[in-house]
Amino acid sequence: MASDYNVAELVPHSGRMSLLTNILDYGDGWLSAEVEIKKDSMFSDEFGVPSWVGLEYLAQAIGAYAGLQERLHGGAPKLGFLIGTRKYTSTQEYFSVGSILTIKVIKNLQAENGLSAFDCVLHSSDNCEATARLNVFQPKNAEEFLKGAKNE
């Protein structure tokens, strides 16, 4: 199903920290998004954007998926946390300026306590591929969760 939502409606990041360009498509348990690498993209240097930033692109796509689920059930996007990754690999060290990254995140596991695991793939128009499995946590109330973490 083509997306009726834009990034700002699904991801709680704002300003320059909102790294996704478009939400392309979604379905049962998955979402695809796009990032356009520009000269003034966050984290860009003379070579482009370092491929390790792909991990954040993947995490924000998962955030968009979670925000979509909230919107589809009448809610608003909530804050979530990247808690770990397995085997993040990229075939290149940089995403080139002018390249378009297509990201697909697929829900692999979702527990009642807010923990989830996603398989993620990123393809770029300049033949780079990055993959990872990301573990994320979305508490019911992020403010209470953060307060509790401060007090410990």
Side-chain angles (χ1 to χ4, degrees):
M1 166 183 305
S3 180
D4 297 328
Y5 296 95
N6 65 46
V7 174
E9 293 173 305
L10 301 181
V11 181
H13 292 67
S14 62
R16 287 188 48 128
M17 280 311 298
S18 180
L19 303 178
L20 301 177
T21 305
N22 295 306
I23 305 302
L24 299 176
D25 205 1
Y26 62 88
D28 187 28
W30 64 273
L31 178 134
S32 64
E34 182 176 77
V35 175
E36 184 179 345
I37 303 298
K38 299 178 183 178
K39 200 185 313 186
D40 65 345
S41 291
M42 184 69 122
F43 305 107
S44 186
D45 64 23
E46 67 270 17
F47 304 108
V49 174
S51 63
W52 57 262
V53 178
L55 193 57
E56 180 62 20
Y57 296 149
L58 299 175
Q60 286 197 22
I62 292 170
Y65 173 82
L68 173 69
Q69 299 311 303
E70 293 295 332
R71 293 280 183 209
L72 293 175
H73 294 96
K78 295 189 236 174
L79 191 60
F81 303 94
L82 173 63
I83 58 172
T85 185
R86 288 192 204 164
K87 299 181 184 176
Y88 177 73
T89 61
S90 176
T91 58
Q92 295 178 13
E93 290 185 34
Y94 282 85
F95 303 121
S96 304
V97 171
S99 64
I100 305 292
L101 312 181
T102 304
I103 299 160
K104 185 166 187 180
V105 295
I106 303 162
K107 182 175 64 174
N108 188 313
L109 168 88
Q110 185 169 358
E112 296 266 332
N113 65 358
L115 289 171
S116 298
F118 285 78
D119 291 322
C120 307
V121 179
L122 179 156
H123 294 281
S124 76
S125 59
D126 62 347
N127 297 318
C128 180
E129 180 175 291
T131 59
R133 173 172 283 177
L134 272 59
N135 299 315
V136 296
F137 175 60
Q138 186 173 39
K140 291 191 187 307
N141 185 319
E143 285 186 31
E144 284 182 21
F145 174 76
L146 290 171
K147 276 185 193 174
K150 259 189 197 180
N151 294 334
E152 290 181 8

